[in-house]
Amino acid sequence: MKKITKILLSEKEMPRQWYNIQADMPNKPLPPLHPVTREPIGPDALAAVFPMELIKQEVSQERYIDIPEEVVDLYRMYRPSPLYRAYNLEKKLGTKSRIYYKYEGGNYSGSHKANTAIAQAYYNKQEGIKRITTETGAGQWGSAMSFACQHFGLELLVFMVRVSYDSKPGRKIMMNSYNAKVVPSPSTMTEAGRKVLEADPDSPGSLGIAISEAMEIAIQDPYTKYSLGSVLNHVILHQTIIGQEALLQMEKADDYPDVVIGCFGGGSNFSGIAFPFLREKLLNGKNVRLLTVEPASCPKLTKGKFMYDFGDSAGMTPLLPMYTLGHNFIPEKIHAGGLRYHGAGVLVSQLLKDGFIEAKAKLQRECFEAGVLFSRTEGILPAPESNYAIAAALDEARKSDIEGVPRTILFNLSGHGHMDISAYEKYFEGNLPDHEMTEAEVEEAIAKIKLPD
Ligand SMILES: *Cc1c(COP(=O)(O)O)cnc(C)c1O
């Protein structure tokens, strides 16, 4: 095996197509339903919220979808992204396994979210849209979308989850620099926000609430559309550029992963790296485990229920078949803000249910510990969200050593933590509490799910 630390692709080698897992899923996902009639909704029902091309991608059964040239041009600013062999981490662990990571933090937004932000802004622009509304948790998605909208000449209004707005002022200023307007959510600008504030004036907010607010504004104006940073099929589609590249890079490294790992908020970075490998498993029999990691304080995949639920807290989305903790659930204020979402994307949910992927939950302190070890060996300070993937990769290496079976481990380093310094500060001060949702709390949250009669 060649010893290379950084496995690069040239611009020419960058894949020109996204991969659509829907073409190859043994069980197709159940359809979204109209909340009142409970009938499957057609693509038209989404037209008030999304541009047509993205709706087509949402339901497409084509295996590959061409990446438009204008999107490729912006991808070229930072793609192909590097894949690293973590030699120094391996050495520190004393593991016999090989650990690789794909680094998605090396772009303007600092996370994988740029991959879909650019594509979404492009398709909206193509269809004559003037303004986009969106939500952001920790701020990575808002930053990603701010620059993409600015580039394509679109206005952007961001509803930022209150707890992050207060704890991460840097992200807000970054979005303002890219010319976006940022409002803390819940806000008084919308019916959905006012309702939450009436019940709890100190609400820390949630992604579910911020989504309701952004959608409410979008449906009032034909030139305004809404944009979501994860969960949906078209978002996951755009993120498959990560795995498409990683496949080529593993080939260059003359190696192949036994396990592919990603952290889990709504499913987009995990699916982005994992789905092209799942294709190789389904179509070409190349064996691989796909493992996703969520916070123990927001355990929709490991403790939630597979059912129809809303994607937002006010119930404005169609009903989606997914693992959920209930659309009204407000997760604990952990620092991995991007993982504080009550549900899971439809594609991941179906694949988890069918046993094609695995999920586990972790406490935040152990994940920060893993992230700090990673920074001290590999030199990159990871996003708090990415720490969950790192912690799981360490588990896999240790397990392999105990079993005496060295394995090849690949994880997605979804972003850097340069804007999350205060979370690390709290960790070093010993002020980062662990929180785990108990079975009883999950049952209580799920019992609160109220769907329209
Ligand atoms: C948003 C975010 C996540 C979680 O979202 P997914 O849709 O599950 O990928 C993970 N890591 C980083 C750095 C993020 O910004």
Side-chain angles (χ1 to χ4, degrees), residues 111-113 140 229-231 263-270 338-339 383 385-386 414-415:
S111 81
H112 66 286
K113 294 204 171 73
Q140 287 102 317
S230 183
V231 181
C263 63
F264 199 96
S268 78
N269 91 91
F270 165 71
L339 308 185
E385 291 86 358
S386 311
S414 51

Side-chain angles (χ1 to χ4, degrees), residues 251-290:
E251 195 179 312
K252 278 200 176 182
D254 219 348
D255 208 344
Y256 200 81
D258 296 297
V259 57
V260 176
I261 300 169
C263 63
F264 199 96
S268 78
N269 91 91
F270 165 71
S271 306
I273 194 163
F275 284 180
F277 287 93
L278 182 53
R279 173 191 70 219
E280 294 307 304
K281 182 173 179 169
L282 292 171
L283 301 186
N284 300 321
K286 296 199 91 169
N287 207 24
V288 67
R289 285 173 51 223
L290 305 169

